Amino acid sequence: MKIVGLTGGIGSGKTTVAKLFSELGVSIYIADVEAKKLMNRSKVIRRKLIALFGEKAYTNEGLNRPYIASKIFNNKELLEQMNAIVHPKVGAHFKRWLKKQNGAYVIKEAAIIFEEGMQSQYDCIVLVTADLEERINRVLQRDNTSREKVLAIVNNQLSDEEKIKKSDFVIVNNTIEDTKVQVLKIHKSLIK
């Protein structure tokens, strides 16, 4: 079974593309969603994150995401320390999940495959891109944020040009109709 990485910058439409693959019967693992679940469920992660960020890392409701986001936003070292705690647990969870799947391939959606140097973990990589203004508008509609914050995130991520060079497939996700055609074409080539 092939492991396909699905990646793209903020607002590119990774979730939309993942849903389109899912509709074709492909099993999808959303690393970000699973990481958030593990950060709330795992006592080991909780203990390590409290040691890293302090007691404010968690509230009675669980992970204090706004607090942690404010700590790591401009602190690459803290972000790397947090990722060193969370990523191995997500990787182990993915391996357990993978054993329960069947099909020609599965997709693991992860935003920072290239940034973390994880491309060797995949048989191939699908990159989702979109026009910058479209990406910004999507994030502004989805999140309670500002244009400046979205641009700061975009500028912290590897450029699409760099990601395109390292990807096996590229989906330009500007309209849903075009995206569906591109997804189907990639799907057909992956099930051969």
Side-chain angles (χ1 to χ4, degrees):
M1 182 185 318
K2 293 179 198 152
I3 300 173
V4 177
L6 177 66
T7 194
I10 187 169
S12 61
K14 295 179 298 295
T15 303
T16 299
V17 169
K19 283 180 186 165
L20 293 173
F21 275 106
S22 179
E23 288 169 8
L24 295 170
V26 179
S27 296
I28 312 287
Y29 184 93
I30 309 288
D32 224 26
V33 170
E34 298 305 327
K36 286 172 188 149
K37 287 180 189 173
L38 287 169
M39 290 165 88
N40 276 310
R41 284 195 314 244
S42 167
K43 288 180 173 72
V44 173
I45 291 176
R46 183 184 188 109
R47 191 174 63 249
K48 289 180 177 181
L49 290 181
I50 289 171
L52 182 63
F53 294 107
E55 292 295 326
K56 289 184 181 176
Y58 285 84
T59 66
N60 292 337
E61 287 77 45
L63 185 69
N64 187 347
R65 291 181 57 211
Y67 173 77
I68 290 178
S70 73
K71 291 290 184 190
I72 62 174
F73 188 70
N74 284 315
N75 189 330
K76 195 169 185 161
E77 191 177 313
L78 259 184
L79 174 64
E80 287 171 0
Q81 290 175 12
M82 182 185 79
N83 286 345
I85 293 167
V86 178
H87 287 177
K89 296 285 187 191
V90 173
H93 185 264
F94 173 73
K95 286 179 182 170
R96 290 191 303 273
W97 174 87
L98 186 60
K99 288 177 183 172
K100 300 173 189 169
Q101 307 309 312
N102 53 29
Y105 69 100
V106 297
I107 288 180
K108 182 179 181 185
E109 186 263 287
I112 53 173
I113 290 173
F114 297 120
E115 288 84 348
E116 292 289 320
M118 296 186 295
Q119 53 268 41
S120 64
Q121 297 177 15
Y122 303 92
D123 295 300
C124 68
I125 296 178
V126 177
L127 172 68
V128 183
T129 68
D131 295 337
L132 181 60
E133 282 305 313
E134 181 66 29
R135 291 171 59 193
I136 292 167
N137 289 333
R138 287 175 184 164
V139 178
L140 290 175
Q141 288 174 6
R142 180 187 76 197
D143 301 343
N144 181 20
T145 190
S146 68
R147 180 180 177 84
E148 292 72 28
K149 285 184 180 173
V150 178
L151 281 171
I153 293 168
V154 168
N155 292 330
N156 268 336
Q157 294 178 332
L158 202 60
S159 72
D160 279 353
E161 292 75 25
E162 287 299 312
K163 290 178 188 174
I164 287 168
K165 291 177 196 172
K166 299 176 179 187
S167 299
D168 300 283
F169 301 98
V170 178
I171 294 174
V172 180
N173 181 29
N174 288 326
T175 70
I176 194 69
E177 295 79 18
D178 288 345
T179 301
K180 283 180 181 177
V181 170
Q182 294 170 79
V183 165
L184 188 57
K185 185 177 177 185
I186 292 168
H187 176 67
K188 286 179 179 174
S189 74
L190 288 171
I191 58 173
K192 283 183 183 174

